[in-house]
Amino acid sequence: MTHLISAADLAHEIEDVVVLDVRWALTTANTPAGRKDYEAGHVPGAFFVDLDTELAAPAGEGGRHPLPYPEVVQAVLRRAGITEHSRVVAYDGKDSYAAARAWWVLRWLGVSDVRVLDGGWAAWTAAGLPVSTEEPADRHGDVVVRPGQLPTLDASSAATLAREGLLLDARALERYAGETEPIDPVAGHIPGAVNSPTTEWVTTEGTFRRDLAEHWAHVTDGADLSDRPVGVYCGSGVTATHEMLALAELGVDTVLYPGSWSEWIRDPSRPVATGRLPG
């Protein structure tokens, strides 16, 4: 089973799926630009979903992008006409980082049939497919969300997994190593975590690599992980889901630490490792 769909296949199935536009970006004024991009043109029939306010709760003790309030997401999904049996496709601008967050959140809430448009909006337009500026009317879906359908890690279980299993840090190597930190107030990583930048799982076109298995073998140094749990974190629980999507394509089960680094560092008693090795 693949969790991805090509632009051509989405165009073929467009009448049978619910499409969510999850483009996510910041303008120079530090205001969301995803909505502006959506209004300028989107996949016909797509509903816009804001990652910061609808796929995450407000920043705080749980990090920069805590798990969303279920009732907020339910309202969004009902607006898009989603029911218990809906097939859903999410896309973002190109690399599928935000779309992967939607893929994970919806499945965590019990929406089982969710796929991601591989290559996002860039792939759709590159294929010369139709573009719309019309926002669809409320479709009055009746889905009932059930949070907790996917397991998660908290800080304690993430620390344990780093020692006893495999905990992947999906951020850039420089942030993992503590050499730079442009977003969070503390640099470094969870001791024992292995760096695996999510940017290395996609091509320059924004589509997932076709040699995912080979790349996974490189990340793990060829180790047999069949009996070891795998967890993933990043800065705030967004790009980690992208890596989880890549691994899901390989049949590798993973668990998200939603609070990620931005939650970990809120407690100064938690250890911080630096350097380019797990530590």
Side-chain angles (χ1 to χ4, degrees):
M1 175 182 176
T2 180
H3 299 265
L4 302 174
I5 186 171
S6 69
D9 285 344
L10 176 56
H12 180 70
E13 300 179 23
I14 197 74
E15 298 298 327
D16 301 317
V17 298
V18 177
V19 182
L20 302 179
D21 184 313
V22 200
R23 276 180 282 181
W24 179 53
L26 293 176
T27 66
T28 54
N30 201 38
T31 56
R35 176 79 196 189
K36 180 179 178 181
D37 292 337
Y38 171 82
E39 291 172 350
H42 51 263
V43 172
F47 286 79
F48 179 72
V49 180
D50 183 67
L51 187 150
D52 289 314
T53 62
E54 295 174 322
L55 296 179
E61 291 299 318
R64 286 187 280 108
H65 288 104
L67 292 179
Y69 300 129
E71 62 272 18
V72 171
V73 186
Q74 179 172 279
V76 171
L77 302 185
R78 288 185 173 186
R79 185 184 75 225
I82 293 176
T83 70
E84 179 184 355
H85 305 292
S86 293
R87 299 163 57 203
V88 183
V89 175
Y91 73 91
D92 58 25
K94 178 180 178 182
D95 296 310
S96 298
Y97 302 145
R101 170 75 175 205
W103 166 81
W104 187 90
V105 165
L106 267 61
R107 292 166 61 245
W108 172 72
L109 290 169
V111 181
S112 59
D113 193 345
V114 187
R115 288 173 292 170
V116 168
L117 173 58
D118 197 16
W121 177 246
W124 182 267
T125 54
L129 294 166
V131 172
S132 174
T133 56
E134 180 179 351
E135 184 167 0
D138 191 325
R139 292 182 183 167
H140 306 288
D142 61 3
V143 66
V144 176
V145 300
R146 295 173 287 113
Q149 300 305 304
L150 295 177
T152 58
L153 299 170
D154 58 15
S156 177
S157 55
T160 299
L161 189 57
R163 295 191 303 268
E164 300 177 359
L166 177 63
L167 181 64
L168 299 173
D169 184 318
R171 297 172 301 160
L173 176 59
E174 295 77 13
R175 293 182 67 194
Y176 167 88
E179 296 167 359
T180 183
E181 182 45 71
I183 303 174
D184 293 306
V186 178
H189 61 268
I190 297 173
V194 173
N195 187 228
S196 172
T198 196
T199 53
E200 295 182 358
W201 291 86
V202 291
T203 68
T204 55
E205 288 77 30
T207 55
F208 282 86
R209 294 168 58 150
R210 297 297 175 253
D211 61 342
L212 291 177
E214 290 82 355
H215 183 62
W216 179 228
H218 170 72
V219 170
T220 61
D221 288 329
D224 180 7
L225 299 175
S226 57
D227 60 346
R228 295 175 63 188
V230 179
V232 191
Y233 79 96
C234 56
S236 66
V238 175
T239 58
T241 60
H242 180 272
E243 193 147 323
M244 297 173 75
L245 175 55
L247 290 171
E249 287 296 286
L250 297 176
V252 177
D253 292 329
T254 54
V255 185
L256 176 67
Y257 173 22
S260 286
W261 185 246
S262 59
E263 180 197 35
W264 179 270
I265 59 174
R266 293 188 72 88
D267 183 346
S269 70
R270 294 183 185 129
V272 171
T274 56
R276 298 195 168 204
L277 296 177

